Amino acid sequence: MQSYTIGQAARLLGVSPDTARRWADAGRITTHRDEAGRRLVDGRDLAAFSVDLARSGDTGDETSYTSVRNAFPGIVTAIKLGDVAAQVEIQAGPHRLVSLLTREAVEELGLEVGMEATARVKSTNVHIDRT
């Protein structure tokens, strides 16, 4: 399972690294340390926290959110696979994006819950890029 540094987690949550550290210190985000002593967040834990955070509306910062060239970097929070089609949900800061794509595309990208990914939006289509 992929893990994220506090800085990476903060970027994916749309908050400052200081806010993410405060949340970790307060026990809101579960962390562990790697062999170098860096604080890491498990991808699945970060995915669940990002969904809870978006539902609560508490970002901890007064940051404005914008899509640069319609790209939304975030974390995969859910994948529903059918026989042919699939549904992928990404939490990008306060934004929940859902894309319908083929099961084959999900498998080729190797998408998993907790993985970093970017949703690209053009008109009514959402495309998922693995990052």
Side-chain angles (χ1 to χ4, degrees), residues 1-9 20-21 23-25 27-46 114:
M1 172 50 56
Q2 186 165 352
S3 292
Y4 298 91
T5 65
I6 288 292
Q8 291 170 321
R21 275 189 212 91
W23 287 343
D25 290 343
R28 290 185 66 189
I29 302 174
T30 304
T31 63
H32 63 279
R33 299 230 181 232
D34 68 4
E35 57 279 346
R38 294 181 306 166
R39 192 184 284 185
L40 300 176
V41 181
D42 179 74
R44 288 190 183 274
D45 291 340
L46 184 60

Side-chain angles (χ1 to χ4, degrees), residues 3-4 17-18 35-36 53 61 64 69-71 77 93 95 97 99 108 110 117 122 131:
S3 292
Y4 298 91
D18 286 337
E35 57 279 346
L53 183 66
D61 286 345
S64 63
R69 296 186 180 155
N70 298 321
T77 57
H95 309 290
L97 298 132
S99 179
E108 284 179 4
K122 174 152 174 124
T131 50

Side-chain angles (χ1 to χ4, degrees), residues 1-129:
M1 172 50 56
Q2 186 165 352
S3 292
Y4 298 91
T5 65
I6 288 292
Q8 291 170 321
R11 182 176 55 79
L12 293 169
L13 294 169
V15 299
S16 72
D18 286 337
T19 297
R21 275 189 212 91
R22 282 192 299 274
W23 287 343
D25 290 343
R28 290 185 66 189
I29 302 174
T30 304
T31 63
H32 63 279
R33 299 230 181 232
D34 68 4
E35 57 279 346
R38 294 181 306 166
R39 192 184 284 185
L40 300 176
V41 181
D42 179 74
R44 288 190 183 274
D45 291 340
L46 184 60
F49 180 78
S50 68
V51 171
D52 291 341
L53 183 66
R55 286 186 183 140
S56 74
D58 174 19
T59 61
D61 286 345
E62 294 300 319
T63 306
S64 63
Y65 297 95
T66 181
S67 65
V68 178
R69 296 186 180 155
N70 298 321
F72 294 84
I75 187 165
V76 177
T77 57
I79 298 174
K80 296 176 185 166
L81 294 175
D83 291 336
V84 176
Q87 177 179 309
V88 176
E89 293 183 25
I90 292 179
Q91 193 70 44
H95 309 290
R96 176 180 166 264
L97 298 132
V98 179
S99 179
L100 299 176
L101 57 162
T102 65
R103 179 187 182 116
E104 180 181 13
V106 171
E107 291 169 350
E108 284 179 4
L109 289 169
L111 294 177
E112 296 178 5
V113 171
M115 174 180 279
E116 188 174 356
T118 300
R120 297 196 185 274
V121 180
K122 174 152 174 124
S123 185
T124 59
N125 297 314
V126 177
H127 303 266
I128 305 296
D129 295 343

